[in-house]
Amino acid sequence: MYELDVIADDSLGRFVARWYGLPDRPRQPLDQPGVPDLLPEPLAEWHRVAARYSLPLSRDHVMIGPADLVESGGLVRFWVGAEDWYSYTPGAADPLVVENDTVGTGMPLSRFLVYAAVYEATYTPLHGLVYMSPTPDELRQVRLRLRELDDPLWRWPEPGTRYYGDDDLLGHLGPDRIVLAARHRDALGRFDGLGLPWDWDTRTV
């Protein structure tokens, strides 16, 4: 998980390849929008990486395609969820990301896209567990079986709810939630001995 412990220019590609495996599609040219300034290089790289996988990398939120990027009110919206959306001011090589058009994240787009990839892998997993409103002891027991990711990125947006991970697992843990994702089904067995009443378990649905 070194690519997540220290976020670097190649962290996005390295994480995607490690988590999802080798690409199952050939490289293909990227459709460019009518106004090139609307597509900064970090977002172009996301779309180049994503195009090589048949499984969408963004499944909870929608990552807007290059040809559909539009500037409105001085911002370009690029990642949209049911209740939140994220934008940037066009023109910069690595612009800062803005939440819901009003709240600055202080995060450059290149770092934010690594966050988005891990968020999507965690919250829309092929194999996963969810338990809401754990007790402090239940939360502690799960934390003992994971390693907190080092980079300060993983304490955003709420410092009390943090990302954890290793080669086979990702976790987003805080006072109100335990969300776990695994690269393969067997990795979830690490938590079977805890006896937690999981609200969602992909092995039983």
Side-chain angles (χ1 to χ4, degrees):
M1 299 295 282
Y2 181 76
E3 76 276 2
L4 301 183
D5 281 322
V6 180
I7 303 301
D9 291 344
D10 62 350
S11 287
L12 175 63
R14 289 170 61 198
F15 167 72
V16 170
R18 187 180 57 74
W19 191 258
Y20 294 105
L22 295 175
D24 59 351
R25 288 178 171 174
R27 295 183 185 276
Q28 49 189 295
L30 186 66
D31 291 335
Q32 299 289 337
V35 183
D37 285 349
L38 297 186
L39 183 65
E41 176 55 29
L43 187 56
E45 178 62 13
W46 167 284
H47 287 292
R48 283 192 289 265
V49 171
R52 301 202 62 197
Y53 290 84
S54 55
L55 179 70
L57 301 187
S58 190
R59 303 180 294 277
D60 181 76
H61 288 52
V62 174
M63 191 67 73
I64 297 175
D68 296 320
L69 295 171
V70 176
E71 181 180 356
S72 177
L75 293 170
V76 178
R77 193 172 296 182
F78 69 96
W79 195 51
V80 180
E83 298 179 351
D84 58 342
W85 59 92
Y86 298 86
S87 311
Y88 53 81
T89 300
D94 194 6
L96 295 178
V97 173
V98 178
E99 182 178 4
N100 294 351
D101 294 345
T102 58
V103 181
T105 64
M107 196 183 307
L109 182 61
S110 57
R111 282 178 64 82
F112 184 88
L113 289 170
V114 179
Y115 173 88
V118 170
Y119 173 94
E120 293 286 350
T122 304
Y123 279 88
T124 55
L126 299 179
H127 312 284
L129 300 167
V130 174
Y131 181 35
M132 304 303 290
S133 302
T135 67
D137 185 62
E138 290 170 334
L139 184 60
R140 184 182 65 84
Q141 289 298 320
V142 173
R143 279 178 171 158
L144 287 173
R145 288 160 172 79
L146 293 167
R147 184 180 65 80
E148 184 176 344
L149 297 175
D150 290 340
D151 197 283
L153 174 64
W154 308 117
R155 296 188 284 277
W156 184 86
E158 296 293 337
T161 302
R162 302 184 178 189
Y163 277 92
Y164 296 72
D166 56 33
D167 286 345
D168 295 318
L169 290 160
L170 289 169
H172 198 208
L173 278 61
D176 64 338
R177 74 188 69 186
I178 297 171
V179 181
L180 299 167
R183 291 180 60 237
H184 53 85
R185 185 180 188 275
D186 291 347
L188 298 178
R190 186 181 307 182
F191 308 97
D192 285 348
L194 300 180
L196 296 181
W198 299 106
D199 297 308
W200 185 70
D201 182 341
T202 54
R203 298 169 299 179
T204 61
V205 295

